[in-house]
Amino acid sequence: MAEEKEREEVIVAEYHKKIKDAFEVFDHETNNTVDVREIGTIIRSLGCCPTEGELHDFIAEVEEEEPTGYIRYEKFLPVMTKALLERKYRPIAEDVLLRAFEVLDPAKRGILTKEELVKYMTEEGEPFSQEEMEEMLSAAIDPESNAINYRDYITMMVIDEN
Amino acid sequence: MGSSSSSQHHFAFQNAEKAFKAAALIQRWYRRYMARLEMRRRCTWNIFQSIEYAGQQDQVKLHDFFSYLVDHFTPTSHHERDFLNRMFTEERFAQDVETEKGGDYESIEVPDSYTGPHLSFPLLPDHATALVEAFRLRQQLHARYVLSLLYETRKHLVQLPNINRISTCYSEEITVCGDLHGQLDDLIFIFYKNGLPSPERAYVFNGDFVDRGKDSVEVLMVLFAFMLVYPKEFHLNRGNHEDHLVNLRYGFTKEVMQKYKIHGKKILRTLQDVFCWLPLATLVDEKVLVLHGGVSDRTDLELLAKVDRHKIVSTLRCKMRKESENREEQKRKINQTSSGQRPTPWFLPQSRSLPSSPCHLGSGLKAHKACRSCSIPCGSLDHKEQQSRQMRRSVDLELERCRQQAGFPGIEEKAADCDADAGESLEPTPEEWKQVVDILWSDPMAQEGCKANTIRGGGCYFGPDVTEKLLEKYKLQFLIRSHECKPEGYEFCHNRKVLTIFSASNYYEVGSNRGAYVKLGPALIPHIVQYQANKTTHRLTMRQRISRVEESALRALRQNLFAHSSDLLVEFKKHDASESGVVTLSDWAVAVESVLHLGLPWRMLRPQLVNSSGDNVLEYKSWLESLAKEQLSRENIQSSLLEKLYRNRSNLETIFRIIDSDHSGFISLDEFRQTWKLFSSHMNIDITDDNICDLARSIDFNKDGHIDINEFLEAFRLVEQSCSEGHASACLQSTDTPKNGQSSPGAC
């Protein structure tokens, strides 16, 4: 039991260091606060993959009672540590992602047209902003076919990540 | 039927739900991908900024070096003293008289073979436009025209007040541009996109026209030309880079000497003067204050309006201006005597405008306290040293007083006597100097209050409350400033009361940031226009752009790591008590930060800098070796020596340029040895004379016993290269550097 506790402490210590580093990247004034709009980026860079809804809930938990637009490190650290320990917001495996694309492509063409992609991404789920949509299109769409070969796309993105 | 239709509905509903969920999943995944890109982008930005500011801190270290020499070094020979004198006094610009007369460019002949633009005065709008076009075609303006343009510019600037007041009544729109830093392409782009200056189209350029970029000369020529053509509509503010001491380090001096081998010296001399005549700020409609850096809680616009801005030659050093040959002569005589009098060091801040009251021991300390925001590192010397230094200076002053009373001319008093005729003191008071430094060097911060800007070594950080108070005090609406590079080219802060505008796109690297300018109409509502003056960036996706900039940043970072190899090794060993040859990756991050002090998120950067073996440990020796291999081409030279040179390269280069007082690009082997001896003793680097000689021999210096500075630095890849695409970081080079000293574009 004691050994397990010790191991957990080591893990928690490691998490704390990671969280601190990620937080500091956005802590411009070095005063242990970050703009609330950067919280999503910080959480995701730590390996989590929350939905927008989950993100909003997270922010609500770490915000001040009177929202200042800034999140303090002291409030962020415990909530984030807990999220990491509990493995909340698991990242999405490659094959799960592939199946998601296949759901949107019932005819099994292996592609989605630009119009289809735009429709799904901007009308379904947690819709993209115009900026997000444009950015995705710029990398995903093959200009000749005006479509996305989602298998290739996923492979490319995954390689790029690593 | 009913059941099949309901099962159809059910099926349809299920499909819709599936599609919804699938879309949500893809979006969720995509947002995470983008967030990680953003994190990389942000880390890259931090790398560039921290290295840039660390470089500025180097200036402070340089000052330490000179202070150290003054305090600890006793010249043992006449020879050594002369050598030191050259470093300390501004002998090189002894012929100031010519600058004032302004007639000496007429003797410069323009050969018939010259195909560049010709200028005649008074300048007409067509001339200015033709100048832009000529520069776009990569022509170079002849030195004669450069000088004549500078003289005319000076004549114009002298008439301007410190704070220029302009109005949107006359020209309906005013365009304010930020830092250009020698990037001519951006300037041309602005004129192309926004229109050339005209009586209907006023411009304000907010400082930092030169340094870093490769076309600082051309940028200046264009700006000055338009200012002469449209004096009422075209306005310039001084930036912290409009300063000959800063230029020594950041590339402008070098650029001038490279482009104008014969007349460069004269041009630099004239520029030093022109820079101090630039106005300090511009006020639009009495409501919008435009200045380069920022403000402090002590900023006093009335004082700033009254100060003799010409007295502030450099914001790096508070020194006395030499305005007459006569005084120069006296100084030289005094310096040459072998009495205990020291040459007046140009680099120390001295409160030499003594009040008429006889008690002076306190004045030194008071001035010291007033220097909170000066770039002189009051805080970097330790307290005892500070105090002893203050005491020494105060004692010197007291001695001067006594000497004078006894009838002997002292150094400062002599100068003051001469000034009594002129009826004014020659140098700014500490208060005046601090006021100017503050507006040229300060940065806004989110926290309230005002504190010294230790990162830059000059000016302060000012909070929203400081802004608010200032705006209220002078009934202003908002502030426009520049001085800081922003990814989008602009940034609002302090509740939209402060606007930072930065016009040098791709400042750190191609794709690193956009440039921007702001337009103001009579309603004074800021309208921002952004751009990026490099076509390649448009074709890249964000991912590719970020990767490219990131590569550049990481390269710069690896250089930095290499430059600290010895210290890193020591630090790693501390974490490796068992001498296993490995450290954990966590310890790696701690060690690296404790040596480099860059404040970077090392844990996040680690994957890019270290190929870990997968079990969370690192063989540090082989990692350091791989870094060295990347940076060095010559294995025969001791790598520790190289590393030390490398780390101090900017300072070394600056010192060399100071010693090379005639800007010839050459210093004697002997001077080089002496410099190195002094420098290495200060930095506690133990390098013997033999090592230096070996070094010299292996680089094949000996051309009449002189060293070409550029060749020396290039041989060790110590010079920051600007490749044709304008890369800011040093590129990897081939070992054969061309003999003419020109930098070759490396394999970037």
Side-chain angles (χ1 to χ4, degrees):
Chain A
M1 256 326 271
E3 197 188 285
E4 205 179 286
K5 185 107 201 310
E6 200 184 297
R7 220 176 322 139
E8 182 175 319
E9 276 172 15
V10 167
I11 293 175
V12 167
E14 275 302 309
Y15 281 164
H16 280 189
K17 285 193 214 150
K18 271 199 186 143
I19 295 170
K20 188 164 212 302
D21 260 0
F23 193 87
E24 276 176 359
V25 172
F26 290 95
D27 177 13
H28 305 297
E29 313 290 333
T30 44
N31 59 355
N32 287 329
T33 66
V34 301
D35 191 317
V36 66
R37 289 165 292 185
E38 321 263 39
I39 290 291
T41 310
I42 299 174
I43 295 178
R44 287 170 172 133
S45 72
L46 287 167
C48 301
C49 200
T51 66
E52 292 290 285
E54 287 167 329
L55 189 57
H56 287 140
D57 293 338
F58 186 100
I59 289 175
E61 234 188 296
V62 295
E63 249 178 346
E64 311 290 326
E65 284 93 52
E66 303 264 336
T68 58
Y70 288 96
I71 304 295
R72 284 186 300 122
Y73 180 67
E74 302 85 57
K75 292 200 101 173
F76 181 74
L77 182 63
V79 181
M80 190 69 232
T81 312
K82 187 152 166 282
L84 287 179
L85 283 171
E86 292 172 1
R87 299 183 190 281
K88 259 182 173 182
Y89 323 127
R90 301 283 211 95
I92 299 162
E94 209 178 307
D95 56 330
V96 174
L97 186 59
L98 183 59
R99 257 180 281 140
F101 273 103
E102 284 172 348
V103 164
L104 302 180
D105 174 28
K108 306 273 176 273
R109 299 158 297 172
I111 58 130
L112 286 175
T113 68
K114 180 173 166 191
E115 288 72 31
E116 287 169 342
L117 185 65
V118 171
K119 181 171 89 108
Y120 283 122
M121 293 296 105
T122 58
E123 290 175 23
E124 303 280 353
E126 291 176 319
F128 273 173
S129 68
Q130 193 186 356
E131 217 182 300
E132 282 173 314
M133 192 67 249
E134 277 171 13
E135 184 51 46
M136 184 183 202
L137 288 174
S138 73
I141 294 289
D142 173 8
E144 279 176 32
S145 61
N146 226 19
I148 166 179
N149 178 321
Y150 46 83
R151 232 174 232 281
D152 289 348
Y153 178 61
I154 294 172
T155 315
M156 175 184 83
M157 299 287 261
V158 166
I159 288 177
D160 185 51
E161 281 241 273
N162 306 332
Chain B
M1 272 288 95
S3 71
S4 90
S5 115
S6 89
S7 77
Q8 247 181 359
H9 277 293
H10 183 65
F11 190 60
F13 177 74
Q14 266 195 332
N15 275 352
E17 199 188 342
K18 271 205 212 154
F20 185 93
K21 283 203 176 128
L25 195 125
I26 294 172
Q27 288 152 346
R28 194 175 120 212
W29 163 84
Y30 183 77
R31 282 175 173 131
R32 177 172 177 246
Y33 174 80
M34 289 308 288
R36 292 180 73 170
L37 260 192
E38 172 61 20
M39 181 58 97
R40 276 166 67 189
R41 193 195 64 75
R42 182 57 62 110
C43 284
T44 304
W45 189 263
N46 286 356
I47 293 174
F48 277 130
Q49 273 211 320
S50 67
I51 291 181
E52 178 179 9
Y53 292 157
Q56 289 182 342
Q57 285 171 28
D58 269 355
Q59 200 80 2
V60 165
K61 289 195 198 130
L62 195 62
H63 168 269
D64 280 355
F65 166 57
F66 285 120
S67 307
Y68 163 85
L69 288 180
V70 169
D71 289 343
H72 294 110
F73 192 75
T74 316
T76 52
S77 68
H78 186 70
H79 187 59
E80 272 187 333
R81 198 181 325 113
D82 284 348
F83 173 65
L84 277 182
N85 282 348
R86 265 181 73 193
M87 265 206 268
F88 292 158
T89 55
E90 291 275 305
E91 296 279 307
R92 76 188 86 121
F93 293 144
Q95 325 294 330
D96 267 356
V97 190
E98 284 177 41
T99 314
E100 314 276 334
K101 281 210 199 114
D104 61 340
Y105 65 84
E106 273 155 23
S107 57
I108 302 177
E109 292 243 332
V110 181
D112 291 330
S113 54
Y114 172 70
T115 52
H118 296 262
L119 296 181
S120 60
F121 297 91
L123 269 189
L124 299 173
D126 282 347
H127 293 149
T129 316
L131 200 58
V132 179
E133 187 56 24
F135 289 151
R136 202 180 62 81
L137 299 171
R138 305 263 122 231
Q139 288 170 12
Q140 181 166 308
L141 186 64
H142 194 273
R144 182 206 167 99
Y145 299 128
V146 173
L147 285 166
S148 54
L149 182 57
L150 289 177
Y151 290 133
E152 295 297 317
T153 301
R154 187 188 186 278
K155 276 201 296 202
H156 168 73
L157 288 176
V158 167
Q159 307 163 49
L160 296 178
N162 295 346
I163 301 180
N164 241 332
R165 286 173 149 77
I166 66 179
S167 172
T168 51
C169 298
Y170 304 120
S171 40
E172 277 153 27
E173 63 174 31
I174 295 180
T175 305
V176 180
C177 302
D179 295 25
L180 284 171
H181 280 302
Q183 297 187 188
L184 183 65
D185 288 342
D186 284 304
L187 180 57
I188 292 180
F189 186 84
I190 293 172
F191 285 162
Y192 166 70
K193 190 160 167 86
N194 194 47
L196 286 168
S198 71
E200 294 78 38
R201 196 174 293 114
Y203 273 95
V204 179
F205 281 87
N206 202 11
D208 278 11
F209 321 122
V210 301
D211 276 333
R212 297 185 187 274
K214 57 183 176 57
D215 296 317
S216 299
V217 174
E218 286 71 29
V219 166
L220 268 191
M221 293 297 105
V222 169
L223 294 177
F224 289 159
F226 275 111
M227 188 174 62
L228 291 175
V229 168
Y230 297 116
K232 293 208 193 64
E233 294 84 16
F234 199 88
H235 311 277
L236 302 177
N237 288 339
R238 188 177 185 184
N240 61 307
H241 278 263
E242 275 68 60
D243 182 325
H244 73 285
L245 289 181
V246 177
N247 298 149
L248 267 180
R249 189 193 188 80
Y250 288 104
F252 182 47
T253 309
K254 201 194 306 187
E255 184 192 321
V256 171
M257 291 313 297
Q258 271 176 1
K259 288 180 176 168
Y260 294 98
K261 295 188 162 56
I262 305 171
H263 300 286
K265 239 173 57 185
K266 208 180 281 185
I267 293 174
L268 286 172
R269 211 189 300 140
T270 316
L271 272 167
Q272 177 182 314
D273 199 42
V274 170
F275 281 161
C276 15
W277 276 114
L278 285 167
L280 300 173
T282 302
L283 191 56
V284 182
D285 287 349
E286 303 293 316
K287 291 255 154 277
V288 179
L289 183 61
V290 186
L291 35 69
H292 179 73
V295 296
S296 79
D297 55 356
R298 298 268 300 275
T299 295
D300 180 347
L301 291 184
E302 278 126 11
L303 191 155
L304 280 167
K306 282 197 262 171
V307 77
D308 183 354
R309 67 182 188 268
H310 192 207
K311 293 195 287 203
I312 294 151
V313 179
S314 165
T315 50
L316 284 188
R317 302 293 173 254
C318 185
K319 86 172 192 45
M320 212 165 89
R321 287 204 68 254
K322 303 181 182 85
E323 282 192 339
S324 82
E325 214 176 348
N326 199 25
R327 214 168 303 117
E328 190 60 49
E329 197 53 44
Q330 283 159 349
K331 249 192 162 46
R332 233 174 281 151
K333 287 210 185 107
I334 289 165
N335 286 343
Q336 278 163 11
T337 60
S338 50
S339 68
Q341 288 173 352
R342 288 190 163 144
T344 330
W346 53 262
F347 56 88
L348 289 178
Q350 302 196 1
S351 58
R352 274 183 279 162
S353 57
L354 302 171
S356 48
S357 74
C359 162
H360 298 299
L361 275 179
S363 70
L365 283 169
K366 223 194 284 168
H368 175 73
K369 282 206 185 97
C371 277
R372 182 199 55 197
S373 61
C374 67
S375 63
I376 313 310
C378 309
S380 70
L381 305 166
D382 69 47
H383 194 57
K384 234 196 288 175
E385 233 191 294
Q386 272 177 27
Q387 282 189 327
S388 73
R389 163 188 292 269
Q390 285 301 298
M391 290 304 287
R392 215 177 307 127
R393 227 180 286 145
S394 313
V395 167
D396 280 350
L397 295 172
E398 275 299 284
L399 282 175
E400 290 304 334
R401 284 264 120 165
C402 298
R403 237 179 244 121
Q404 197 212 8
Q405 279 168 1
F408 295 105
I411 301 177
E412 287 94 351
E413 288 310 315
K414 187 86 181 167
D417 282 344
C418 292
D419 295 338
D421 298 336
E424 53 173 71
S425 74
L426 261 194
E427 76 278 338
T429 65
E431 178 61 24
E432 288 173 339
W433 188 73
K434 172 193 168 355
Q435 290 277 339
V436 174
V437 169
D438 279 348
I439 62 172
L440 259 39
W441 285 81
S442 300
D443 291 315
M445 63 174 177
Q447 295 163 296
E448 305 225 317
C450 188
K451 58 182 187 181
N453 192 328
T454 43
I455 290 195
R456 286 196 192 265
C460 59
Y461 288 117
F462 62 100
D465 54 329
V466 175
T467 304
E468 192 59 44
K469 276 207 201 82
L470 187 111
L471 294 179
E472 209 181 288
K473 179 171 178 198
Y474 297 108
K475 314 261 186 300
L476 305 170
Q477 270 178 25
F478 63 97
L479 234 60
I480 299 181
R481 43 89 65 175
S482 306
H483 198 40
E484 280 182 300
C485 183
K486 297 291 177 193
E488 292 298 312
Y490 76 98
E491 190 174 272
F492 280 101
C493 66
H494 293 190
N495 225 353
R496 287 185 85 89
K497 297 285 175 60
V498 174
L499 167 63
T500 302
I501 196 88
F502 194 85
S503 302
S505 68
N506 304 323
Y507 178 61
Y508 289 125
E509 172 57 78
V510 173
S512 68
N513 64 289
R514 289 160 131 163
Y517 55 84
V518 58
K519 295 160 77 85
L520 297 171
L524 295 179
I525 298 173
H527 168 66
I528 315 264
V529 177
Q530 295 169 295
Y531 55 86
Q532 208 153 8
N534 186 311
K535 293 199 205 75
T536 36
T537 50
H538 296 307
R539 282 184 260 120
L540 302 173
T541 63
M542 187 185 294
R543 178 177 62 86
Q544 288 167 320
R545 244 181 291 137
I546 290 175
S547 296
R548 197 172 159 164
V549 182
E550 191 180 36
E551 241 328 288
S552 180
L554 291 171
R555 217 182 304 137
L557 200 51
R558 282 194 290 264
Q559 280 168 23
N560 226 288
L561 287 166
F562 160 69
H564 292 85
S565 301
S566 308
D567 289 343
L568 282 170
L569 188 61
V570 166
E571 205 55 37
F572 287 146
K573 288 204 170 126
K574 284 189 198 155
H575 289 267
D576 178 24
S578 58
E579 292 185 21
S580 56
V582 296
V583 289
T584 65
L585 293 177
S586 188
D587 285 342
W588 173 87
V590 168
V592 170
E593 176 57 25
S594 73
V595 171
L596 257 60
H597 299 296
L598 284 175
L600 291 173
W602 295 105
R603 248 169 291 269
M604 311 228 82
L605 296 170
R606 202 248 322 133
Q608 326 264 44
L609 298 169
V610 171
N611 295 326
S612 73
S613 52
D615 49 350
N616 269 353
V617 292
L618 168 70
E619 277 180 22
Y620 48 88
K621 276 217 187 102
S622 57
W623 177 66
L624 287 171
E625 274 161 22
S626 69
L627 277 181
K629 231 183 276 184
E630 194 188 323
Q631 303 298 329
L632 301 178
S633 62
R634 297 164 180 273
E635 285 102 30
N636 53 331
I637 299 175
Q638 263 187 346
S639 92
S640 68
L641 168 60
L642 213 59
E643 172 207 327
K644 281 158 191 158
L645 284 176
Y646 199 87
R647 186 186 332 180
N648 294 291
R649 68 193 188 285
S650 302
N651 282 337
L652 274 178
E653 189 180 344
T654 310
I655 295 172
F656 284 155
R657 291 196 188 284
I658 291 172
I659 293 172
D660 175 25
S661 50
D662 60 358
H663 293 293
S664 61
F666 290 95
I667 62 173
S668 77
L669 195 55
D670 199 48
E671 285 168 338
F672 168 63
R673 261 202 229 107
Q674 284 199 33
T675 309
W676 183 251
K677 212 173 79 183
L678 295 172
F679 192 73
S680 55
S681 71
H682 169 61
M683 304 296 285
N684 287 327
I685 302 169
D686 58 356
I687 288 178
T688 64
D689 251 7
D690 285 345
N691 280 354
I692 292 299
C693 289
D694 284 345
L695 203 66
R697 240 177 279 131
S698 73
I699 298 173
D700 181 33
F701 279 138
N702 292 325
K703 301 168 185 175
D704 315 320
H706 278 84
I707 296 171
D708 180 329
I709 295 174
N710 284 325
E711 224 182 47
F712 168 70
L713 294 171
E714 264 182 39
F716 292 93
R717 295 194 219 137
L718 299 180
V719 173
E720 301 228 357
Q721 297 296 321
S722 344
C723 306
S724 47
E725 300 101 78
H727 285 196
S729 54
C731 303
L732 296 173
Q733 258 191 348
S734 62
T735 53
D736 301 312
T737 55
K739 284 296 175 191
N740 63 5
Q742 292 292 315
S743 50
S744 57
C748 304

